[in-house]
Every structure is written in C-alpha cells, then in structure tokens.
Amino acid sequence: MEPESLSLPNYNIPEDLQHIVAVTTLERLYNWGRRSSVWPLMFGLACCAIEMIAAQTARYDLARFGMEVMRPTPRQADMLLVSGTVTKKMLPAIIRLYNQMPEPKYVVAMGACASSGGPFKEGYNVVAGIDKFLPVDVYVPGCPPTPQALIAGLIKLQEKIDKQKFKTSRWYQKGKTDPNYVPMPILGPDLIDVRRNEEFKRAAANPGGEA
C-alpha cells in the first residue's frame, strides 16, 4: 500500500521515516526468521566435505546467510547437508541422524555421489542417490561442487523456505506425530529398504511373473 493512501503525515511520523514502513504477514515473518538461521549438521562423507568446509571460510562466508552455526548434534540442526559418497554401510547412520533432527528439517544433496551415485553408481557398495531413502529439497551438481555452487544451492533452499505455508507444510499437519520418519534399512548381503516389504513379498510369491 502506498504511503499516500495511508495518510502517514496524519500520524505525526517524522518525514525521514515515512517511506520505510514495511507491511508483512506472520507467515512471511516466520519464514524470514527460519531462512535466516538455518543450522547445518556438522557432518561430511567424502571430498565434497572439503568444499563445504571451504564455504565456511572468510573468502565465501556463509555467515552472510545465517548458516555459519554448524551443530555437532542432530537435535540442534535443521539441515542435513549430505556431502559425499553414500555407502550402503553408512546409510543407516545417515538415516538415524535424519530421524533425530526436529522438524522443520531439510536435506541438501551435495555433489554427484550424493545425488545419483556419481562415478561409483555401478559399484556394489554405493547407494545410487540419497533421494532413494530421504526426501531431498535441493540438489547441488558437481564432482565436487565449488563453494560458490554450494552457496547457490543454499540460496535456492532459502527461496523454498520463503514459499512454505502453514496449511500445507508437512510438519503442521494434524494426526501425524512424525510424518517424515524414515525406517532404518536392513544391512545384510545387500541393502534392504523395509518400506518395500510388500513388494518383496509379491515378487517372492510369484517368482515367474513380471518384476
């Protein structure tokens, strides 16, 4: 709303303050506070973690975006930055950390390995993308991505937070105590996703049928 329609001089507002009045909503104010204080989990997997560390240095200065406070415990963090190769042996630990993080929480897949398996995609011990198990909010391409690329991805995450609504955000839905809980996979001869148990049972009951 323009200052003329507000009739600001009638409120005896000093002239130098009449044009800095901001009109906002509770939702926008809430999102602004969250986007400006995202706390990543102090956690790295492979060479991408070196670039993540470099992004925290004075040259790139993630403190400009309110993300310099990297927490050593998942209970004080709200962003899981998966930076590096996700092996099948490491995946249960990553999921455990994710489940221990309070809502609202976000996942950023940093690098080709975290996004799709990278050069190890066909390997027997590497997960072909963390998004097969966790809901990823932002993908940062590269092998490894530069600190500038990581910062660009984190800015995209801030833009996503800005657009979130009270009525549609998953952590505000009624009747769900933990709507984003991910069950722990079983590590044996291969990695078994327990969410696919019914699919496995149907395949075992019909071995000669279509997959």
Side-chain angles (χ1 to χ4, degrees), residues 132-172:
K132 295 184 179 297
F133 293 88
L134 297 181
V136 176
D137 296 283
V138 175
Y139 297 87
V140 181
C143 187
T146 62
Q148 297 96 322
L150 175 59
I151 291 174
L154 297 179
I155 292 174
K156 288 295 182 183
L157 178 62
Q158 288 185 325
E159 293 175 358
K160 182 174 183 177
I161 295 174
D162 282 336
K163 298 176 183 178
Q164 291 183 325
K165 306 292 184 181
F166 289 153
K167 294 182 179 180
T168 58
S169 297
R170 64 175 182 265
W171 52 87
Y172 289 123

Side-chain angles (χ1 to χ4, degrees), residues 76-111:
Q76 297 177 356
D78 54 7
M79 182 180 70
L80 179 61
L81 185 55
V82 184
S83 55
T85 310
V86 181
T87 63
K88 295 178 181 178
K89 188 174 182 180
M90 191 66 187
L91 181 65
I94 296 174
I95 293 178
R96 185 182 299 276
L97 290 173
Y98 175 80
N99 286 332
Q100 290 175 346
M101 293 170 60
E103 292 279 11
K105 54 188 173 183
Y106 306 94
V107 178
V108 175
M110 180 181 178

